Every structure is written in C-alpha cells, then in structure tokens.
Amino acid sequence: MWRASILTIFPDMFPGPLGASLAGKALASGAWSLDVADIRNFATDKHRSVDDTPAGGGPGMVMKADILGRAIDAIVPDMAADARPRYLLSPRGTPLTQARIEALTQGPGVVLVCGRFEGVDERVIAARGLEEVSIGDYVLSGGEIAAMALIDACVRLLPGVMGASASGAEESFADGLLEYPHYTRPQIWEGQPIPEILTSGDHAKIAAWRRAEAERLTRERRPDLWAAFLRHFRNGSKAG
Ligand code: ADE
C-alpha cells in the first residue's frame, strides 16, 4: 500500500481535505495510508518548543535539528529499509512537476516534513537526506498545505483510484501541453454556441482542433512549457 508519513507541528490539519472526495474514498478503501507525527512530541523542555533563534542573528525562528532529527528517526527507524523519498516542503525547494508526481506514485510512498518558521536547521536536512521540494513560487505559512497538494496529486494516479477516467492521457502536462477547452450542453448558452467542429461528428477534425487549441493555450499562457515542448516533445521523446 502506498504510504504517506507526515511530520508537522499541526497534526490536526490532517487528513483535512485529503479525507474528502477522491483522496478520501481511496484512503477509506485502503488504496493508500496516511500517518501523521506531531514534531512537538519529540521536544524535551516543558514548553515543548521546537524552534530557536537563528545563529548569526536575523528575523524569525529556526526549527531545531535535534528535535526534528528524533522525530524523523521515530517515523523512519531504518533509513536503509525504507525506500520512500524524504521531502522537506519549502519555497526554496526544486519545483514539483507532474513527472515527479508520476515517479513518486511508482514507489512505496513518501515521507513529508512540513517546515514552519523561517527555516529548518541545515544540518538535519543534510543528515537525514531531506530533499527540498516547492509547489510554486509563492510563500505559504508552512509546508502543510503544500504536503496536501503533493499527496492529492499522487493519490489520484494510484491504481484504481480514478476508475474509468484513470488514463490521464489527455490531461494537462501529459504530453507537455495544457489541456484543450471543454464544452457540454446546452448547445447555446447566453448566446454562445459550442464550437461547430465539436458537434460535427468528424473525429479526426475534432482531434486536430483540440490539439491546435492545446498548443495555442500553452504558447499564450506558459511560454516556459511551450519552449520545453518544442525542445523535447515534438521529436517523440518524453524525456526531460
Ligand atoms: N512552504 C512555504 N511555501 C512553500 C511552497 N511554495 N512550496 C512548498 N512548501 C512551502
């Protein structure tokens, strides 16, 4: 079973939205499992503090290496035996992509450390082999929501979770392009008809129209993806 382990100082945030909808059903049916550890349980002082002032001065607080180290060791007692990647959610991390999500779902699961405060003591990041991962170029108040986003993106790809729509072959990023526009009845809404080609029954023409629209949207909205598409996808290789 695909297993997600979370380390956080806000365990009550979980499962949160992961307990609802598709992910929640898959959790209840045993397609994946979630365990949540409260980092504060590994503190030793009476205030159960997990952070301290930064060495060298400056604003904010830093999550302590000793406490987070103990928490990780409790969740992953044998690093050699647990093949799950260990991620630290952080705006400083490398970007999360659909390709990385797909690779994660091929493995046994993931260990997610949710950062808070200004940062996490660099020594524990290195010593416990935490890979820093970001869900986008904006700053959240902590890694919890980022962890939920990562897990949601993984869980929907697990075998059996999406049922008939599971192919995912036509969705955004699957071939390096954003998804084409969708329409359904009514045929005319607020004076706007569905594009005629979609009701023509000509499947080859429909496919060509969708492809052209996907390319147009990608070019207009995501010049970065468009450049990558021109470099990698056009010549038949999905690598990179
Ligand atoms: N924690 C705070 N901001 C984040 C981001 N953008 N991605 C992942 N973790 C975060």
Side-chain angles (χ1 to χ4, degrees):
M1 191 198 300
W2 198 84
R3 177 182 171 211
S5 295
I6 313 279
L7 292 94
T8 172
I9 57 167
F10 294 108
D12 293 348
M13 286 191 185
F14 293 88
L18 297 173
S21 189
L22 199 74
K25 273 183 210 141
L27 185 59
S29 75
W32 66 291
S33 75
L34 176 69
D35 46 83
V36 184
D38 185 350
I39 296 168
R40 242 178 243 294
N41 289 343
F42 300 88
T44 46
D45 65 322
K46 71 168 192 260
H47 301 294
R48 305 216 304 156
S49 50
V50 294
D51 59 330
D52 206 339
T53 54
M61 298 291 272
V62 177
M63 194 174 276
K64 289 162 65 62
D66 50 345
I67 294 165
L68 183 54
R70 271 198 300 277
I72 294 169
D73 294 344
I75 303 313
V76 187
D78 184 352
M79 297 241 174
D82 193 332
R84 294 178 298 166
R86 296 179 291 277
Y87 289 168
L88 170 65
L89 283 314
S90 157
R92 201 179 73 170
T94 55
L96 192 60
T97 60
Q98 188 65 19
R100 290 179 81 181
I101 294 289
E102 280 167 23
L104 261 183
T105 63
Q106 302 298 309
V110 70
V111 178
L112 298 176
V113 177
C114 302
R116 282 267 158 180
F117 320 113
E118 284 306 294
V120 171
D121 190 306
E122 195 68 25
R123 293 168 296 179
V124 69
I125 298 174
R128 295 299 180 271
L130 302 182
E131 188 183 343
E132 291 181 72
V133 172
S134 167
I135 64 160
D137 291 341
Y138 42 82
V139 182
L140 304 168
S141 51
E144 286 78 8
I145 289 174
M148 290 176 198
L150 182 153
I151 292 174
D152 182 88
C154 285
V155 164
R156 60 189 287 281
L157 297 184
L158 294 175
V161 171
M162 278 208 300
S165 58
S167 86
E170 294 205 359
E171 69 190 15
S172 286
F173 310 117
D175 58 0
L177 295 172
L178 300 182
E179 227 180 324
Y180 53 77
H182 302 280
Y183 300 87
T184 189
R185 284 177 286 267
Q187 175 68 36
I188 296 175
W189 180 72
E190 294 191 347
Q192 296 185 78
I194 292 173
E196 213 177 296
I197 202 153
L198 296 179
T199 49
S200 69
D202 186 332
H203 296 295
K205 271 195 180 149
I206 290 169
W209 180 88
R210 286 177 168 166
R211 177 67 181 204
E213 284 292 286
E215 293 190 7
R216 178 183 63 79
L217 288 173
T218 307
R219 210 168 45 237
E220 288 175 6
R221 294 179 183 179
R222 293 293 303 273
D224 57 328
L225 283 185
W226 180 244
F229 171 78
L230 293 178
R231 269 186 278 118
H232 298 293
F233 291 92
R234 273 256 157 111
N235 35 39
S237 87
K238 212 191 158 176

